Amino acid sequence: MTATRAEVCVVACAEAWRGDGEILASPMGVVPTIGARLARLTFAPDLLLTDGEAMLIADVPALGDPAAAVEGWLPFRRHLALVTGGRRHVMMGASQLDRYGNQNISCVGDWARPARQLLGVRGAPANSLNHPTSYWIPRHSPRVLVEKVDMVCGVGYDRAAAAGPSATRFHRIPRVVTDLAVLDFETPDRTMRVNSLHPGVTAEELRAATGFRLDVPDHAPRTRAPTAGELRLIRDVLDPHTLRAGEVRT
């Protein structure tokens, strides 16, 4: 079976939680949510999942369906305790993301008089300093992957290093998944690099879609495609209504 780009992205998101053990997975977005549930059903059975509100769920329902088994209550105060204790791996979105992993979800333009007002800083600083924070970008473009974010919400590697050991102790950005590639920061200066290109994406296409100089090897690895078993889970169990296609259309 041939996988769609959305299904490749689902698997790339799922891989973010590989090896995490018994922690809370907090995906934001359709594709990351399917990815976290796929990880739970396959290689990460110890992951904790929520219903997106205040319940820990014991089963793994299809996207949009209620959980059949609830195993715990997770009100906001307990969620915050998990955040500060590092027992969570969130995959957030980003309106802007720069080469060091600084994320902006607050405003576009000068902070004193922004051209666009967005969500606000929310919990991004605490998230990014206290536990692993990955990012999901469904539209890889120069407007999102920028040289410098207009406002720092999620903290990148350069900002964390400048703040000192209290900021770097638990700071980690495992991966950035976009509709074109998987990116990480496994470089000596902790700047973004290409981990893999999705099938069908060229190096030229990725460079043109990025707002800063990104070294893209001509023979970059390819993001792995879903296995037949993973495709069955994505299509028949986790997302039978194909909601993933609304987030990644290629």
Side-chain angles (χ1 to χ4, degrees):
M1 293 183 289
T2 301
T4 66
R5 181 72 59 80
E7 290 161 347
V8 170
C9 290
V10 165
V11 169
C13 287
E15 288 288 349
W17 286 283
R18 185 181 286 274
D20 276 356
E22 189 178 350
I23 68 163
L24 180 66
S26 293
M28 300 182 185
V30 170
V31 167
T33 298
I34 303 170
R37 295 182 185 190
L38 179 66
R40 167 76 174 265
L41 288 176
T42 53
F43 54 76
D46 294 331
L47 276 183
L48 301 179
L49 300 177
T50 78
D51 63 355
E53 294 185 11
M55 298 294 180
L56 288 171
I57 59 177
D59 62 335
V60 185
L63 208 63
D65 289 352
V70 172
E71 62 181 357
W73 185 43
L74 191 67
F76 195 58
R77 64 180 179 274
R78 291 188 182 179
H79 206 137
L80 289 176
L82 282 173
V83 169
T84 57
R87 303 300 300 165
R88 180 185 189 229
H89 182 171
V90 64
M91 182 170 280
M92 293 197 292
S95 300
Q96 293 178 328
L97 193 71
D98 69 24
R99 65 170 69 242
Y100 289 99
N102 294 294
Q103 172 238 36
N104 175 24
I105 53 172
S106 184
C107 64
V108 175
D110 187 87
W111 184 85
R113 193 177 180 85
R116 295 287 185 274
Q117 180 65 52
L118 306 173
L119 288 173
V121 175
R122 312 292 288 182
N127 287 344
S128 52
L129 289 182
N130 287 292
H131 59 69
T133 302
S134 293
Y135 293 102
W136 161 239
I137 297 171
R139 297 288 183 274
H140 190 131
S141 79
R143 295 179 62 182
V144 180
L145 279 295
V146 297
E147 181 68 37
K148 183 178 180 181
V149 297
D150 292 334
M151 180 175 179
V152 176
C153 300
V155 179
Y157 280 101
D158 59 338
R159 294 272 181 156
S166 63
T168 57
R169 185 179 179 187
F170 301 114
H171 177 265
R172 185 163 70 91
I173 308 173
R175 65 172 43 196
V176 177
V177 180
T178 81
D179 61 330
L180 299 182
V182 177
L183 310 161
D184 63 32
F185 298 89
E186 300 301 318
T187 56
D189 60 354
R190 290 298 195 179
T191 55
M192 192 181 292
R193 70 162 191 176
V194 176
N195 179 289
S196 64
L197 293 176
H198 297 336
V201 177
T202 66
E204 292 75 17
E205 183 181 358
L206 188 66
R207 292 189 193 103
T210 306
F212 53 84
R213 186 180 179 279
L214 183 63
D215 184 20
V216 186
D218 290 333
H219 301 289
R222 292 290 165 178
T223 308
R224 78 170 181 89
T227 65
E230 288 170 334
L231 270 181
R232 182 189 64 79
L233 288 172
I234 293 169
R235 295 175 179 180
D236 300 338
V237 177
L238 296 173
D239 187 26
H241 302 297
T242 323
L243 298 178
R244 60 193 179 277
E247 202 163 69
V248 179
R249 297 185 179 88
T250 53

XYZ file of all heavy atoms in Angstrom, residues 117-194:
605
model
N -2.198 39.554 15.906
C -2.233 39.045 17.270
C -2.623 37.572 17.220
O -3.615 37.215 16.573
C -3.243 39.810 18.116
C -3.345 39.330 19.549
C -2.053 39.563 20.326
O -1.533 40.676 20.345
N -1.516 38.515 20.924
N -1.841 36.704 17.892
C -2.079 35.268 17.826
C -2.536 34.751 19.196
O -3.232 35.449 19.918
C -0.809 34.577 17.338
C -0.246 35.126 16.018
C 1.106 34.504 15.709
C -1.228 34.893 14.881
N -2.167 33.556 19.567
C -2.656 32.931 20.798
C -2.170 33.607 22.064
O -2.845 33.599 23.082
C -2.214 31.459 20.833
C -2.897 30.489 19.872
C -2.199 29.141 19.947
C -4.367 30.349 20.200
N -0.973 34.165 22.012
C -0.323 34.615 23.231
C 0.751 33.620 23.632
O 0.855 32.526 23.077
N 1.534 33.965 24.623
C 2.661 33.120 25.030
C 2.186 31.787 25.589
O 2.820 30.746 25.405
C 3.535 33.873 26.053
C 4.646 32.975 26.577
C 4.132 35.119 25.416
N 1.045 31.808 26.298
C 0.476 30.604 26.901
C 1.512 29.932 27.812
O 2.194 30.578 28.562
C -0.017 29.639 25.820
C -0.869 30.259 24.728
C -2.210 30.745 25.211
N -3.106 29.625 25.506
C -4.359 29.788 25.909
N -4.850 31.015 26.059
N -5.116 28.751 26.154
N 1.612 28.618 27.766
C 2.554 27.918 28.645
C 3.856 27.556 27.975
O 4.615 26.730 28.497
N 4.145 28.162 26.828
C 5.308 27.755 26.043
C 6.640 27.875 26.793
O 7.482 26.971 26.681
C 5.358 28.535 24.734
N 6.915 28.953 27.548
C 8.211 29.018 28.234
C 8.412 27.874 29.223
O 9.472 27.238 29.244
C 8.169 30.376 28.941
C 7.212 31.194 28.136
C 6.159 30.236 27.697
N 7.401 27.589 30.033
C 7.518 26.500 31.009
C 7.615 25.154 30.315
O 8.390 24.281 30.723
C 6.332 26.522 31.972
N 6.822 24.978 29.248
C 6.901 23.731 28.493
C 8.326 23.477 28.010
O 8.906 22.415 28.230
C 5.989 23.790 27.262
C 4.523 23.700 27.600
O 4.143 23.305 28.695
N 3.693 24.074 26.651
N 8.878 24.459 27.324
C 10.143 24.252 26.631
C 11.343 24.196 27.565
O 12.399 23.686 27.181
C 10.351 25.343 25.563
O 10.190 26.629 26.114
N 11.207 24.700 28.794
C 12.330 24.655 29.735
C 12.266 23.470 30.688
O 13.275 23.121 31.306
C 12.390 25.946 30.558
C 12.830 27.201 29.805
C 12.898 28.387 30.756
C 14.175 27.010 29.115
N 11.104 22.846 30.818
C 10.946 21.830 31.855
C 10.766 20.406 31.349
O 10.828 19.463 32.135
C 9.764 22.190 32.753
C 10.085 23.352 33.675
O 10.899 23.236 34.570
N 9.451 24.485 33.430
N 10.528 20.230 30.074
C 10.364 18.882 29.544
C 10.562 18.909 28.035
O 10.585 19.975 27.427
C 8.983 18.316 29.902
C 7.834 19.128 29.388
N 7.508 19.230 28.053
C 6.919 19.889 30.033
C 6.448 20.000 27.897
N 6.079 20.414 29.083
N 10.704 17.757 27.395
C 10.913 17.742 25.939
C 9.765 18.413 25.197
O 8.589 18.191 25.501
C 10.982 16.250 25.610
C 11.360 15.585 26.885
C 10.747 16.400 27.970
N 10.110 19.233 24.219
C 9.132 19.941 23.407
C 9.494 19.769 21.941
O 10.546 20.235 21.493
C 9.100 21.444 23.756
O 8.799 21.600 25.147
C 8.060 22.172 22.926
N 8.641 19.075 21.209
C 8.807 18.960 19.765
C 7.796 19.868 19.084
O 6.911 20.427 19.746
C 8.609 17.501 19.321
O 9.646 16.676 19.812
N 7.918 20.014 17.767
C 7.022 20.922 17.041
C 6.461 20.241 15.796
O 7.140 19.445 15.141
C 7.760 22.205 16.655
C 8.132 23.053 17.850
C 9.439 23.072 18.348
C 7.167 23.815 18.512
C 9.764 23.828 19.455
C 7.488 24.572 19.633
C 8.784 24.572 20.099
O 9.109 25.307 21.202
N 5.222 20.607 15.477
C 4.542 20.134 14.274
C 4.156 21.345 13.436
O 3.471 22.265 13.923
C 3.296 19.332 14.629
C 2.290 19.170 13.530
C 0.980 19.580 13.554
C 2.479 18.550 12.239
N 0.342 19.256 12.380
C 1.247 18.630 11.546
C 3.572 17.955 11.608
C 1.077 18.125 10.259
C 3.413 17.457 10.325
C 2.182 17.531 9.666
N 4.611 21.371 12.188
C 4.326 22.480 11.270
C 3.703 21.895 10.003
O 4.408 21.324 9.157
C 5.621 23.254 10.944
C 6.183 23.874 12.225
C 5.353 24.334 9.895
C 7.545 24.479 12.067
N 2.390 21.997 9.850
C 1.726 21.389 8.692
C 1.965 22.096 7.368
O 1.682 21.526 6.317
C 0.245 21.420 9.077
C 0.128 22.521 10.064
C 1.427 22.569 10.797
N 2.470 23.357 7.398
C 2.759 24.088 6.172
C 4.163 24.678 6.279
O 4.363 25.754 6.835
C 1.741 25.232 5.945
C 0.315 24.786 5.760
C 0.094 24.123 4.406
N -1.316 23.760 4.235
C -1.855 22.627 4.660
N -1.108 21.729 5.286
N -3.138 22.370 4.475
N 5.135 23.948 5.780
C 6.527 24.401 5.827
C 6.701 25.543 4.826
O 6.572 25.345 3.614
C 7.433 23.233 5.450
C 8.885 23.474 5.686
N 9.692 22.571 6.348
C 9.703 24.502 5.333
C 10.936 23.028 6.390
N 10.958 24.211 5.782
N 6.992 26.748 5.318
C 7.127 27.902 4.433
C 8.081 28.917 5.046
O 8.346 28.877 6.255
C 5.762 28.568 4.199
O 5.401 29.378 5.299
N 8.599 29.864 4.233
C 9.491 30.898 4.770
C 8.816 31.817 5.779
O 9.499 32.498 6.541
C 9.910 31.692 3.514
C 9.660 30.770 2.373
C 8.470 29.949 2.763
N 7.494 31.859 5.797
C 6.791 32.675 6.794
C 6.801 32.009 8.164
O 6.627 32.682 9.181
C 5.343 32.908 6.347
C 5.217 33.724 5.079
C 3.768 33.889 4.683
N 2.992 34.610 5.688
C 1.690 34.846 5.593
N 1.018 34.419 4.526
N 1.058 35.509 6.542
N 6.971 30.696 8.198
C 6.985 29.961 9.466
C 8.412 29.648 9.900
O 8.788 29.889 11.052
C 6.164 28.659 9.339
C 6.177 27.891 10.657
C 4.726 28.968 8.934
N 9.218 29.116 9.010
C 10.628 28.844 9.297
C 11.414 30.107 8.985
O 11.778 30.372 7.833
C 11.128 27.665 8.469
C 10.830 26.240 8.958
C 11.525 25.944 10.255
C 9.339 25.977 9.067
N 11.667 30.926 10.011
C 12.195 32.281 9.832
C 13.597 32.421 10.427
O 14.014 31.638 11.278
C 11.251 33.324 10.479
C 9.890 33.313 9.790
C 11.090 33.076 11.971
N 14.298 33.448 9.974
C 15.633 33.724 10.492
C 15.584 34.067 11.980
O 16.429 33.622 12.767
C 16.270 34.881 9.714
C 17.676 35.239 10.145
C 18.687 34.149 9.820
O 18.554 33.511 8.760
O 19.606 33.930 10.647
N 14.597 34.875 12.364
C 14.458 35.277 13.761
C 12.987 35.483 14.071
O 12.284 36.172 13.331
C 15.237 36.582 14.022
C 15.214 37.032 15.483
C 16.043 38.301 15.664
C 16.027 38.758 17.123
N 16.815 40.005 17.308
N 12.502 34.871 15.139
C 11.095 35.015 15.497
C 10.822 36.432 15.994
O 11.699 37.096 16.554
C 10.678 33.992 16.572
C 10.819 32.572 16.037
C 11.474 34.158 17.855
N 9.599 36.904 15.789
C 9.238 38.251 16.234
C 9.083 38.337 17.746
O 9.247 39.409 18.334
C 7.937 38.695 15.552
C 8.117 38.907 14.064
O 9.253 39.201 13.638
O 7.134 38.767 13.317
N 8.742 37.220 18.379
C 8.666 37.159 19.838
C 8.971 35.731 20.266
O 8.514 34.780 19.632
C 7.276 37.562 20.326
C 7.131 37.529 21.836
S 5.539 38.150 22.392
C 5.720 37.939 24.158
N 9.750 35.568 21.313
C 10.092 34.233 21.798
C 9.032 33.766 22.788
O 8.800 34.402 23.813
C 11.483 34.216 22.463
C 11.770 32.837 23.060
C 12.557 34.588 21.457
N 8.409 32.650 22.464
C 7.464 31.998 23.382
C 8.091 30.691 23.867
O 8.468 30.567 25.018
C 6.130 31.757 22.681
S 5.328 33.271 22.101
N 8.224 29.712 22.958
C 9.006 28.530 23.271
C 10.483 28.856 23.142
O 10.917 29.519 22.195
N 11.286 28.393 24.093
C 12.693 28.792 24.188
C 13.565 27.880 23.328
O 13.477 26.656 23.411
C 13.166 28.753 25.649
C 14.637 29.151 25.756
C 12.302 29.680 26.507
N 14.421 28.489 22.508
C 15.349 27.749 21.670
C 16.676 27.517 22.363
O 16.911 27.972 23.487
N 17.570 26.819 21.668
C 18.848 26.442 22.277
C 19.727 27.641 22.584
O 20.434 27.660 23.605
C 19.582 25.455 21.368
C 19.063 24.045 21.493
C 18.198 23.514 20.548
C 19.441 23.243 22.562
C 17.721 22.209 20.667
C 18.968 21.938 22.694
C 18.108 21.433 21.745
O 17.631 20.150 21.865
N 19.729 28.670 21.742
C 20.584 29.822 22.018
C 20.102 30.595 23.237
O 20.897 31.007 24.084
C 20.677 30.735 20.791
C 19.326 31.256 20.322
O 18.285 30.642 20.639
O 19.312 32.290 19.612
N 18.802 30.778 23.346
C 18.243 31.497 24.499
C 18.444 30.715 25.786
O 18.743 31.293 26.835
C 16.757 31.751 24.271
C 16.452 32.696 23.125
C 16.453 34.121 23.603
N 16.137 35.044 22.527
C 15.630 36.257 22.721
N 15.365 36.679 23.937
N 15.398 37.056 21.696
N 18.246 29.411 25.732
C 18.448 28.601 26.927
C 19.905 28.660 27.383
O 20.188 28.807 28.578
C 18.033 27.160 26.657
N 20.839 28.578 26.434
C 22.259 28.643 26.791
C 22.620 29.981 27.406
O 23.398 30.056 28.367
C 23.113 28.376 25.561
N 22.056 31.064 26.866
C 22.344 32.395 27.402
C 21.804 32.568 28.818
O 22.372 33.306 29.626
C 21.746 33.459 26.480
N 20.723 31.878 29.135
C 20.118 32.001 30.463
C 20.855 31.178 31.513
O 20.707 31.422 32.710
C 18.657 31.579 30.409
N 21.641 30.190 31.081
C 22.453 29.444 32.027
C 21.884 28.092 32.426
O 20.862 27.644 31.904
N 22.549 27.423 33.371
C 22.203 26.044 33.738
C 20.763 25.852 34.185
O 20.182 24.789 33.958
C 23.173 25.732 34.885
C 24.337 26.635 34.652
C 23.751 27.895 34.090
N 20.175 26.834 34.827
C 18.788 26.671 35.278
C 17.841 26.503 34.103
O 16.780 25.880 34.240
C 18.361 27.870 36.123
O 18.387 29.065 35.358
N 18.209 27.058 32.946
C 17.363 26.939 31.754
C 17.732 25.735 30.902
O 16.867 25.184 30.210
C 17.472 28.211 30.915
N 18.973 25.316 30.928
C 19.408 24.222 30.055
C 19.249 22.844 30.679
O 19.320 21.834 29.980
C 20.889 24.393 29.662
O 21.684 24.449 30.864
C 21.098 25.666 28.866
N 19.010 22.784 31.978
C 19.014 21.492 32.683
C 18.041 20.490 32.072
O 18.381 19.336 31.859
C 18.676 21.721 34.157
C 18.761 20.457 34.998
C 18.448 20.740 36.447
N 18.511 19.506 37.235
C 18.156 19.427 38.513
N 17.728 20.515 39.151
N 18.236 18.277 39.154
N 16.814 20.924 31.767
C 15.810 20.012 31.221
C 15.363 20.407 29.813
O 14.446 19.811 29.263
C 14.588 19.960 32.138
C 14.896 19.500 33.533
C 14.761 20.362 34.613
C 15.359 18.216 33.764
C 15.050 19.948 35.898
C 15.655 17.786 35.051
C 15.500 18.653 36.121
N 16.024 21.399 29.229
C 15.622 21.898 27.918
C 16.047 20.918 26.823
O 17.206 20.523 26.743
C 16.274 23.261 27.673
C 15.989 23.839 26.325
N 16.841 23.685 25.247
C 14.954 24.578 25.872
C 16.350 24.306 24.203
N 15.205 24.858 24.546
N 15.070 20.534 25.971
C 15.393 19.620 24.871
C 14.323 19.719 23.796
O 13.127 19.725 24.114
C 15.487 18.179 25.379
C 15.948 17.174 24.331
C 16.410 15.885 24.985
N 15.312 15.138 25.568
C 14.611 14.196 24.929
N 14.909 13.907 23.654
N 13.643 13.542 25.523
N 14.731 19.849 22.541
C 13.817 19.860 21.404
C 14.154 18.639 20.554
O 15.066 18.684 19.719
C 13.948 21.155 20.578
C 13.816 22.394 21.476
C 12.883 21.192 19.474
C 14.096 23.706 20.768
N 13.474 17.520 20.760
C 13.851 16.292 20.055
C 13.705 16.373 18.548
O 14.573 15.916 17.811
C 12.893 15.250 20.649
C 12.522 15.799 21.983
C 12.453 17.279 21.781
N 12.587 16.948 18.051
C 12.417 16.993 16.604
C 11.357 18.000 16.208
O 10.494 18.389 16.991
C 12.074 15.621 16.036
C 10.761 15.016 16.459
C 10.443 13.732 15.673
N 11.579 12.849 15.514
C 11.656 11.850 14.633
N 10.655 11.601 13.816
N 12.719 11.081 14.533
N 11.464 18.419 14.953
C 10.467 19.259 14.301
C 9.974 18.473 13.094
O 10.781 18.070 12.244
C 11.062 20.605 13.844
C 10.011 21.432 13.088
C 11.617 21.385 15.037
N 8.682 18.238 13.038
C 8.088 17.540 11.906
C 7.287 18.546 11.098
O 6.449 19.268 11.649
C 7.178 16.385 12.353
C 6.581 15.671 11.138
C 7.943 15.403 13.231
N 7.544 18.615 9.793
C 6.766 19.471 8.906
C 6.172 18.598 7.803
O 6.410 17.386 7.751
C 7.627 20.589 8.280
O 8.359 20.053 7.158
C 8.607 21.180 9.285
N 5.414 19.218 6.925
C 4.852 18.447 5.808
C 5.890 18.125 4.738
O 5.585 17.408 3.784
C 3.663 19.186 5.196
C 4.038 20.544 4.622
O 4.989 21.177 5.135
O 3.382 20.994 3.667
N 7.127 18.613 4.929
C 8.198 18.339 3.961
C 9.326 17.486 4.522
O 9.995 16.780 3.762
C 8.794 19.653 3.440
C 7.849 20.611 2.702
C 8.629 21.840 2.227
C 7.162 19.925 1.528
N 9.556 17.567 5.835
C 10.772 16.948 6.372
C 10.670 16.740 7.871
O 9.764 17.246 8.538
C 11.974 17.839 6.059
N 11.654 16.015 8.378
C 11.905 15.921 9.817
C 13.212 16.655 10.080
O 14.219 16.425 9.394
C 12.004 14.465 10.288
C 12.347 14.409 11.776
C 10.708 13.715 10.011
N 13.201 17.539 11.057
C 14.353 18.368 11.390
C 14.734 18.131 12.849
O 13.877 17.786 13.678
C 14.035 19.846 11.170
C 13.424 20.187 9.801
C 12.733 21.541 9.838
C 14.492 20.161 8.722
N 15.997 18.328 13.178
C 16.414 18.259 14.573
C 17.543 19.250 14.812
O 17.866 20.075 13.933
C 16.785 16.831 14.992
C 17.993 16.264 14.235
O 18.903 17.042 13.866
O 18.040 15.038 14.014
N 18.149 19.191 15.993
C 19.174 20.169 16.380
C 20.454 19.458 16.825
O 21.195 19.968 17.660
C 18.634 21.060 17.502
C 17.423 21.854 17.096
C 16.150 21.310 17.253
C 17.539 23.110 16.527
C 15.019 22.018 16.863
C 16.413 23.830 16.135
C 15.149 23.278 16.296
N 20.710 18.288 16.238
C 21.890 17.501 16.607
C 23.124 17.988 15.858
O 23.761 17.260 15.100
C 21.626 16.023 16.341
C 20.459 15.442 17.122
C 20.654 15.566 18.625
O 21.787 15.333 19.105
O 19.682 15.923 19.318
N 23.463 19.247 16.094
C 24.635 19.880 15.488
C 25.487 20.491 16.600
O 24.991 20.732 17.708
C 24.216 20.992 14.516
O 23.385 21.941 15.221
C 23.419 20.423 13.345
N 26.784 20.750 16.360
C 27.637 21.302 17.415
C 27.125 22.623 17.982
O 27.253 22.874 19.190
C 28.993 21.475 16.706
C 28.980 20.450 15.628
C 27.564 20.390 15.155
N 26.540 23.480 17.138
C 26.050 24.773 17.623
C 24.547 24.770 17.894
O 23.952 25.808 18.124
C 26.384 25.889 16.631
C 25.764 25.656 15.251
O 25.171 24.578 15.025
O 25.883 26.565 14.402
N 23.942 23.592 17.883
C 22.518 23.427 18.176
C 21.632 24.269 17.255
O 20.662 24.892 17.681
C 22.221 23.771 19.632
C 22.775 22.759 20.612
C 22.160 21.393 20.414
N 22.412 20.497 21.540
C 21.963 19.252 21.605
N 21.261 18.759 20.584
N 22.224 18.496 22.649
N 21.980 24.276 15.980
C 21.106 24.882 14.983
C 20.404 23.773 14.209
O 20.847 22.623 14.188
C 21.888 25.775 14.005
O 22.953 25.008 13.423
C 22.446 26.999 14.713
N 19.322 24.134 13.565
C 18.470 23.157 12.904
C 19.186 22.480 11.741
O 19.906 23.123 10.986
C 17.196 23.858 12.413
C 16.084 22.936 11.971
S 14.639 23.878 11.393
C 14.053 24.625 12.917
N 18.944 21.184 11.621
C 19.480 20.432 10.497
C 18.390 19.507 9.961
O 17.361 19.294 10.597
C 20.686 19.606 10.902
C 20.327 18.449 11.811
C 21.392 17.378 11.890
N 20.866 16.196 12.562
C 21.532 15.072 12.724
N 22.781 14.970 12.287
N 20.973 14.031 13.338
N 18.643 18.945 8.785
C 17.711 17.997 8.185
C 17.999 16.601 8.718
O 19.111 16.089 8.576
C 17.823 18.007 6.646
C 16.905 16.946 6.041
C 17.482 19.382 6.103
